[in-house]
């Protein structure tokens, strides 16, 4: 079976020296460019790390539909409505590609999804913030997708084949989301003062959460090193965050908005922007369930899943009956 | 409404293959869930050809695929590596010979 | 029918174009409400495709309406700055989604009717409507495929799903009378479009009959109820749809979006 590989690692009960040795060997091969495929022999820790990272990624896509979806019915022009609908749909598609890739590791999508609905699985902290005005849709495209794409491009080269291939597809489809967001904001910045105020308000609210998307500082990240060693993360959180800030500051200037960080300043010697301190308490609060929208986001998905149960059941019942006829 | 949605049987998994243009072979693009093959085809159309990526779709229940065991990799694939006489570059032709 | 003046003909043509555009737009707006909360992830993507198709159809039609009218600048003025009584969509399009069965039945009934309408427009003498019909027809065929399959699945699936489908037919069927009831717009355009509502109705019944049979459901009998959305007299639902949809354009006039 293509997708069902290692329900259990046959070697999981090996003595620690043996499993350590297997892990070291795989890490070495990965560093030489080896790509792991679904049914290949893989150490349990590699598989677990993959499932965690990939399913979190998938959950983030499907939860990420909600904040922007909040504005589909209120989009101010038909053109913007089409763009937004297509974009939110892309996110559903990306969630699906990623669940599909995760399923090659021998876990079922329903089981992964159940973890999300029961609050056992994490997803990107950014989607627990509310979208309060139309400019939020633009800022999500510009900053949130901008940050996401920076995280995602290196993953197209990651060590697990199905994940890398899903990411190639996703990056291809996502490349224009950021432009679209910038374009939306740019248009509003040519409009009325009220519109400009909306844009600035949205930037003020999303800037810091966007920086948090890259995850904790390297010194505090439990998974960063592990993932890097397994070749399922190519750059550290801090490296990515710095690159993001460096490319975004000039874009903000073009747009004519102020980024809400008085300490943001070009550093000649580092050749990077210096920036203020991120409120990591807020980050951990939001990640562990106490952000502004955590309950609402999961609540909406849970209700939808429960209300869809009879539909899925009926579809299966009909399929069974048809087979019998 | 049931409390635990896992009580409902998960829809089976299908592997999806797309022919991106006539003249090319179908290529595996991913998988999806559907109650039956008919639903799998329409789902595949909606999920995997949103951007005009194909002209033909195959869906196969994942459980119908028999795959080689990676543990047999050496036995199955290593012996082919030294059979260079199966490749055209193995043969030298005298200068000037054409259309061969 | 040759006695009507060009001006009144073009105003009927404008009305019809707006009716088709509004029906597609409002159906799209309703369909978009499923985005993010459909019964499966695959279905979420499928329903959004339908919403996008309908929105695309509405935009083509609005752009033609702008050409016909001359007073409105663009599609957005038509979509966002008209009041409910100026909307001419078939009432069924604005009805609430209800549960998934109701949405599927609604879309099945509406898309089969749209198909009949597009097909008949192909024989008309208005080339723009012909082009729009040809393009929309392909999309509509797929919508029918999608929703008729669900109609059968749910009709045949479990007791629960069957009850829900029956309930949805009970609610929605009376609104289908509006598709064919007294239609001064179409009859005034008969010389141009050659659409006969009697034939339209026969085609439509023909299109849905087999699917009803496959789902094991009898075609309902007609009631005395007649909705009138196509003349601008709507259900209470449309006002709410527009209040939400038009909010930004209305609250921030003169903005750039």
């Amino acid at each position: 079976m293509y997708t069902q590989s290692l329900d259990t690692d046959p070697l999981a009960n090996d003595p620690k020296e043996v499993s350590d040795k297997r892990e070291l060997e795989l890490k070495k091969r990965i560093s030489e460019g080896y790509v792991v495929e679904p049914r290949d022999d893989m150490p349990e820790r590699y598989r677990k790390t993959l499932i965690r990272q990939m399913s979190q990624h998938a959950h983030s896509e499907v939860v990420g539909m909600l904040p922007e979806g909040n504005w589909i019915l209120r989009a101010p022009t038909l053109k913007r409505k089409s763009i937004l609908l297509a974009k939110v749909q892309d996110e559903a598609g990306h969630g699906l590609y990623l669940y599909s890739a995760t399923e090659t590791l021998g876990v079922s999508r329903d089981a992964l999804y159940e973890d999300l609905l029961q609050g056992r699985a994490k997803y990107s902290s950014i989607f627990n913030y509310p979208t309060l005005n139309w400019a939020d849709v633009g800022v999500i495209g510009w900053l949130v997708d901008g940050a996401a794409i920076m995280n995602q491009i290196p993953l197209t080269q990651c060590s697990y084949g199905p994940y890398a291939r899903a990411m190639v597809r996703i990056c291809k489809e996502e490349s224009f989301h950021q432009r679209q967001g910038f374009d939306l904001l740019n248009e509003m910045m040519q409009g009325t003062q009220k519109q400009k105020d909306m844009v600035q308000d949205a930037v003020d609210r999303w800037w810091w959460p966007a920086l948090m998307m890259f995850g904790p500082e390297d010194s505090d990240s439990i998974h960063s090193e592990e993932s890097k060693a397994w070749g399922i993360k190519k750059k550290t959180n801090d490296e990515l965050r710095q690159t993001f800030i460096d490319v975004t500051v000039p874009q903000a200037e073009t747009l004519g908005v102020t980024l809400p960080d008085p300490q943001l300043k070009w550093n000649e010697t580092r050749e990077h922007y210096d920036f203020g301190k991120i409120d990591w308490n807020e980050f951990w609060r939001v990640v562990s369930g106490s952000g502004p929208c955590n309950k609402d986001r999961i609540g909406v998905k849970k209700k939808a899943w429960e209300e869809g149960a009879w539909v899925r059941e009926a579809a299966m019942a009909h399929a069974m009956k048809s087979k019998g006829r | 409404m049931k409390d635990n949605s896992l009580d409902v049987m998960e829809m089976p998994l299908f592997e999806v293959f797309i022919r991106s243009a006539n003249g090319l072979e179908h290529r595996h693009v991913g998988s999806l869930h559907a109650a039956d093959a008919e639903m799998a085809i329409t789902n595949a159309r909606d999920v995997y050809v949103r951007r005009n990526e194909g002209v033909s779709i195959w869906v196969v229940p994942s459980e119908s695929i028999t795959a080689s065991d990676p543990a047999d990799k050496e036995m199955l694939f290593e012996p082919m590596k030294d059979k260079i006489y199966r490749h055209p570059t193995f043969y030298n032709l005298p200068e000037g010979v054409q259309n061969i | 029918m040759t006695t009507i003046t060009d001006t009144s003909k073009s105003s009927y043509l404008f009305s019809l174009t707006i009716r088709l555009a509004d029906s597609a737009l409002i159906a799209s707006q309703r369909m978009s409400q499923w985005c993010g909360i459909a019964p499966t992830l695959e279905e979420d993507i499928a329903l959004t495709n339908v919403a996008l198709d309908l929105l695309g159809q509405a935009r083509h039609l609005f752009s033609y309406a702008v050409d016909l009218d001359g007073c409105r600048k663009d599609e957005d003025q038509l979509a966002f700055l008209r009041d409910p009584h100026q909307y001419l969509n078939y009432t069924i399009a604005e009805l609430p989604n209800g549960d998934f069965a109701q949405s599927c039945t609604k879309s099945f009934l509406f898309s089969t009717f749209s198909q009949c309408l597009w097909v008949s427009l192909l024989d008309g003498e208005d080339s723009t409507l012909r082009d729009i019909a040809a393009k929309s027809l392909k999309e509509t065929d797929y919508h029918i495929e999608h929703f008729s399959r669900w109609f059968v699945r749910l009709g045949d699936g479990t007791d629960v799903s069957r009850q829900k489908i029956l309930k949805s037919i009970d609610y929605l069927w009376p609104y289908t009378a509006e598709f064919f009831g007294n239609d001064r717009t179409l009859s005034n355009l008969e010389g141009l479009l050659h659409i006969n509502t009697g034939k339209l109705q026969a085609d439509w019944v023909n299109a849905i009959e087999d699917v009803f049979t496959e789902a094991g459901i009898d075609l309902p009998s007609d009631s005395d109820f007649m909705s009138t959305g196509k003349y601008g007299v709507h259900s209470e639902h449309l006002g709410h749809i527009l209040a939400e949809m038009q909010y930004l354009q209305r609250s921030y006039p003169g903005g750039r979006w």
Side-chain angles (χ1 to χ4, degrees):
Chain A
M1 206 157 134
Y2 175 75
T3 49
Q4 195 133 38
S5 56
L6 304 156
D7 279 291
T8 52
D9 179 357
L11 308 175
N13 297 325
D14 283 351
K16 195 172 175 314
E17 314 83 80
V18 180
S19 65
D20 281 356
K21 189 162 163 277
R22 284 177 72 210
E23 290 184 4
L24 276 177
E25 270 169 19
L26 183 63
K27 283 178 184 172
K28 182 164 172 293
R29 292 180 74 190
I30 285 172
S31 72
E32 291 159 4
Y34 179 73
V35 177
V36 183
E37 291 294 344
R39 288 168 46 93
D40 288 351
D41 172 32
M42 61 183 94
E44 190 57 17
R45 274 222 291 194
Y46 176 70
R47 184 174 161 270
K48 285 245 165 75
T49 310
L50 276 175
I51 293 177
R52 196 196 63 245
Q53 188 177 325
M54 291 165 70
S55 60
Q56 280 179 9
H57 198 161
H59 298 329
S60 302
E61 296 282 352
V62 298
V63 176
M65 297 170 73
L66 299 175
E68 287 171 284
N70 183 35
W71 283 90
I72 290 173
L73 300 178
R74 290 178 290 171
T77 68
L78 298 183
K79 182 184 115 188
R80 294 283 175 209
K81 194 190 282 291
S82 327
I83 293 172
L84 184 58
L85 255 177
K87 190 195 162 192
V88 176
Q89 186 198 39
D90 276 346
E91 280 156 17
H94 299 168
L96 197 148
Y97 302 161
L98 288 162
Y99 282 127
S100 156
T102 316
E103 285 181 284
T104 63
L105 291 158
V107 284
S108 84
R109 191 207 298 175
D110 279 8
L112 294 171
Y113 201 58
E114 195 65 18
D115 283 343
L116 173 71
L117 298 184
Q118 299 304 331
R120 293 189 292 263
K122 291 192 165 54
Y123 55 88
S124 182
S125 58
I126 197 79
F127 301 120
N128 289 316
Y129 291 88
T131 49
L132 301 178
N133 83 54
W134 170 249
D136 287 36
V137 170
V139 170
I140 288 182
W142 175 42
L143 296 180
V144 175
D145 289 317
I149 204 104
M150 216 156 253
N151 259 324
Q152 290 176 347
I153 285 174
L155 290 174
T156 58
Q157 316 266 322
C158 78
S159 65
Y160 188 56
Y163 194 19
R165 290 191 287 274
M167 290 315 302
V168 168
R169 225 184 156 83
I170 290 171
C171 286
K172 222 196 269 172
E173 296 186 355
E174 244 176 33
S175 55
F176 70 98
H177 288 176
Q178 194 190 6
R179 273 176 193 220
Q180 206 165 268
F182 191 86
D183 172 63
L184 186 160
L185 297 173
N186 198 36
E187 194 70 41
M188 285 180 80
M189 290 303 284
Q190 326 282 320
T192 63
Q193 187 56 42
K194 277 187 177 171
Q195 288 188 295
K196 291 178 194 168
D197 295 345
M198 277 188 224
V199 176
Q200 185 61 53
D201 169 53
V203 170
D204 288 346
R205 281 180 288 108
W206 289 94
W207 173 249
W208 290 105
L211 295 188
M212 293 176 198
M213 281 177 72
F214 295 96
E217 284 169 10
D218 295 346
S219 49
D220 293 324
S221 174
I222 33 172
H223 297 306
S224 204
E225 270 314 303
E226 173 88 19
S227 296
K228 215 174 160 184
W230 288 124
I232 47 183
K233 200 169 165 114
K234 293 282 184 174
K235 285 185 170 178
T236 71
N237 297 350
D238 286 338
E239 287 166 352
L240 288 166
R241 188 167 15 243
Q242 184 69 61
T243 316
F244 174 73
I245 292 171
D246 291 348
V247 302
T248 307
V249 174
Q251 293 169 0
E253 283 164 9
T254 312
L255 207 53
V257 294
T258 314
L259 296 173
D261 179 1
Q263 281 162 272
L264 203 58
K265 204 172 150 237
W266 181 253
N267 182 324
E268 284 291 347
T269 34
R270 285 204 315 130
E271 297 201 316
H272 285 298
Y273 280 94
D274 288 337
F275 55 98
K277 201 162 163 32
I278 293 171
D279 181 357
W280 291 111
N281 286 332
E282 174 179 327
F283 172 77
W284 290 114
R285 216 167 42 236
V286 177
V287 168
S288 54
S290 303
C293 300
N294 298 55
K295 295 242 162 23
D296 283 345
R297 299 285 186 247
I298 294 302
V300 166
K301 286 292 185 188
K302 206 169 167 189
K303 182 164 177 284
W305 189 243
E306 284 168 1
E307 287 180 355
W310 68 268
V311 177
R312 298 188 296 275
E313 202 165 13
M316 285 308 292
H318 170 71
M320 300 291 188
K321 284 190 204 170
S322 305
K323 237 184 211 171
R325 279 196 276 259
Chain B
M1 198 60 57
K2 284 176 180 140
D3 263 355
N4 189 344
S5 43
L6 276 183
D7 289 353
V8 178
M9 194 204 293
E10 187 167 26
M11 291 186 187
L13 195 60
F14 286 81
E15 301 300 325
V16 180
F17 300 80
I18 307 270
R19 182 201 294 289
S20 56
N22 275 20
L24 298 172
E25 63 275 73
H26 285 77
R27 237 178 104 177
H28 183 246
V29 292
S31 64
L32 49 75
H33 290 272
D36 49 39
E38 179 189 59
M39 193 198 269
I41 288 277
T42 51
N43 284 351
R45 179 264 194 192
D46 285 317
V47 171
Y48 287 104
V49 290
R50 297 200 304 287
R51 287 178 171 74
N52 219 357
E53 296 95 331
V55 296
S56 163
I57 302 171
W58 287 349
V59 293
V60 183
S62 305
E63 59 175 20
S64 303
I65 293 184
T66 309
S68 63
D69 186 342
D72 294 339
K73 210 184 264 178
E74 292 188 5
M75 168 185 88
L76 290 174
F77 308 112
E78 291 292 322
M80 275 61 161
K81 283 198 178 151
D82 60 358
K83 301 202 172 42
I84 47 177
Y85 47 81
R86 286 187 178 273
H87 300 276
T89 45
F90 177 73
Y91 303 94
N92 294 321
L93 292 177
E95 294 245 341
V97 175
Q98 284 178 350
N99 298 325
I100 187 168
Chain C
M1 299 315 301
T2 46
T3 53
I4 54 164
T5 64
D6 277 357
T7 352
S8 72
K9 188 152 81 182
S10 91
S11 104
Y12 284 119
L13 192 57
F14 177 76
S15 294
L16 178 68
T17 308
I18 284 291
R19 182 202 291 183
L20 300 174
D22 290 348
S23 300
L25 176 62
I26 299 299
S28 169
Q29 184 80 353
R30 278 297 191 209
M31 193 59 77
S32 305
Q33 288 180 314
W34 278 106
C35 188
I37 57 167
T40 68
L41 194 49
E42 283 82 352
E43 190 59 23
D44 215 304
I45 296 169
L47 295 181
T48 313
N49 267 344
V50 176
L52 278 165
D53 286 345
L54 290 167
L55 186 52
Q57 293 171 10
R59 294 183 66 188
H60 283 119
L61 289 158
F62 278 135
S63 124
Y64 185 40
V66 168
D67 293 346
L68 288 171
D69 179 58
C71 307
R72 311 270 183 170
K73 262 199 347 258
D74 58 35
E75 58 175 20
D76 291 324
Q77 286 202 349
L78 285 168
F80 295 96
L81 300 177
R82 276 180 307 140
D83 291 335
H85 71 274
Q86 297 170 302
Y87 262 73
L88 302 180
N89 58 281
Y90 293 102
T91 311
I92 196 168
E94 73 207 36
L95 298 179
N97 284 346
D99 58 19
F100 187 69
Q102 187 168 312
S103 289
C104 287
T105 304
K106 183 167 57 160
S107 301
F108 169 60
L109 296 173
F110 177 67
S111 55
T112 39
F113 170 66
S114 304
Q115 183 189 49
C116 297
L117 210 49
W118 297 134
V119 168
S120 45
L121 284 169
L122 289 179
D123 294 333
E125 280 157 44
D126 186 290
S127 64
T128 311
L129 282 183
R130 256 197 333 255
D131 291 346
I132 296 174
K135 186 185 175 297
S136 306
L137 191 54
K138 290 179 200 148
E139 295 168 346
T140 307
D141 287 348
Y142 185 74
H143 303 168
I144 295 173
E145 166 71 17
H146 190 81
F147 293 112
S148 65
R149 288 301 96 204
W150 271 115
F151 188 79
V152 170
R153 264 180 218 124
L154 299 179
D156 176 65
T158 62
D159 288 343
V160 174
S161 67
R162 187 174 174 80
Q163 285 313 313
K164 286 178 192 283
I165 279 287
L166 291 173
K167 207 174 131 214
S168 73
I169 296 168
D170 197 45
Y171 174 58
L172 294 164
W173 185 260
Y175 289 92
T176 60
E178 186 183 344
F179 294 158
F180 316 105
N182 173 33
D183 200 326
R184 54 181 183 265
T185 308
L186 280 184
S187 49
N188 275 299
L189 288 168
E190 206 168 347
L192 181 74
L193 302 175
H194 322 300
I195 296 178
N196 172 307
T197 45
K199 181 175 180 301
L200 206 56
Q201 182 162 22
D203 290 347
W204 179 70
V205 171
N206 202 27
I208 61 169
E209 228 170 7
D210 288 349
V211 181
F212 270 73
T213 310
E214 207 188 329
I217 295 169
D218 295 331
L219 278 186
S221 49
D222 291 334
S223 68
D224 292 336
F225 176 79
M226 180 64 78
S227 53
T228 50
K230 65 183 176 193
Y231 295 124
V233 183
H234 290 272
S235 72
E236 289 178 348
H237 305 292
L238 184 69
H240 295 276
I241 295 177
L242 296 188
E244 184 174 46
M245 189 177 88
Q246 299 179 335
Y247 141 74
L248 281 170
Q249 288 274 2
R250 301 274 195 181
S251 303
Y252 302 93
R256 290 186 57 167
W257 310 99

